[in-house]
């Protein structure tokens, strides 16, 4: 059973930083992506960042490029999202998610993900 447990999030002032964590377990896919997806009130889900296991590449949405960093601790099966220079536009519920057999599909698309964490609220106050 795939299980994703998220930690982190909360309230932060504009310009501040926070780190989200996602402890993953229960999957042994050969080709997968693990990423972060967010959903702001009244908006559709948006892929924020992701990484592919086959090539180790990381990807970022234009809205967070240069401010967010995705990384992993493979020994502990944990993925992180470091978010810096936060603005009110970053306020959303953030989910970590896993997609298998992604192929050539962009892992920034929320549609590829089959497994989701419980979500964590990030609120940026201006």
């Amino acid at each position: 059973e795939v299980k994703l447990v998220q930690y982190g999030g909360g309230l932060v002032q504009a310009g501040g930083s926070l780190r989200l964590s996602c402890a993953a377990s229960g999957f042994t896919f050969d080709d997968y992506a693990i990423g972060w997806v967010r959903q702001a009130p009244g908006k559709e889900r948006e892929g924020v960042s992701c990484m592919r296991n086959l090539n180790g590449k990381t990807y970022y949405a234009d809205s967070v490029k240069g401010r967010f960093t995705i990384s992993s601790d493979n020994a502990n099966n944990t993925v992180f999202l470091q978010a810096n220079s936060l603005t009110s536009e970053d306020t959303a519920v953030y989910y970590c998610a896993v997609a298998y057999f992604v192929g050539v599909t962009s892992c920034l698309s929320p549609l590829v993900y089959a497994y989701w964490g419980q979500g964590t609220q990030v609120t940026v106050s201006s």
Side-chain angles (χ1 to χ4, degrees):
E1 177 187 5
V2 177
K3 189 173 182 182
L4 302 172
V5 180
Q6 297 180 224
Y7 302 92
L11 177 65
V12 62
Q13 288 189 332
S17 300
L18 54 77
R19 188 171 81 158
L20 305 180
S21 302
C22 175
S25 62
F27 64 95
T28 57
F29 309 126
D30 291 335
D31 180 2
Y32 67 86
I34 187 163
W36 292 92
V37 176
R38 67 186 180 185
Q39 187 165 26
K43 295 187 177 180
E44 294 185 352
R45 288 189 174 184
E46 173 192 22
V48 173
S49 180
C50 55
M51 58 192 334
R52 298 289 302 272
N53 74 308
L54 287 186
N55 58 20
K57 288 187 176 181
T58 58
Y59 304 85
Y60 298 93
D62 288 342
S63 58
V64 305
K65 203 170 291 184
R67 299 188 299 122
F68 288 17
T69 303
I70 189 170
S71 62
S72 64
D73 176 355
N74 294 331
N76 293 298
N77 296 322
T78 302
V79 175
F80 305 98
L81 183 70
Q82 177 68 39
N84 299 329
S85 302
L86 288 160
T87 74
S88 58
E89 296 295 308
D90 298 312
T91 295
V93 176
Y94 285 71
Y95 299 89
C96 69
V98 167
Y100 60 93
F101 305 123
V102 176
V104 296
T105 306
S106 170
C107 62
L108 285 176
S109 169
L111 298 177
V112 305
Y113 292 100
Y115 304 96
W116 296 81
Q118 79 274 21
T120 186
Q121 177 70 46
V122 172
T123 302
V124 183
S125 63
S126 56

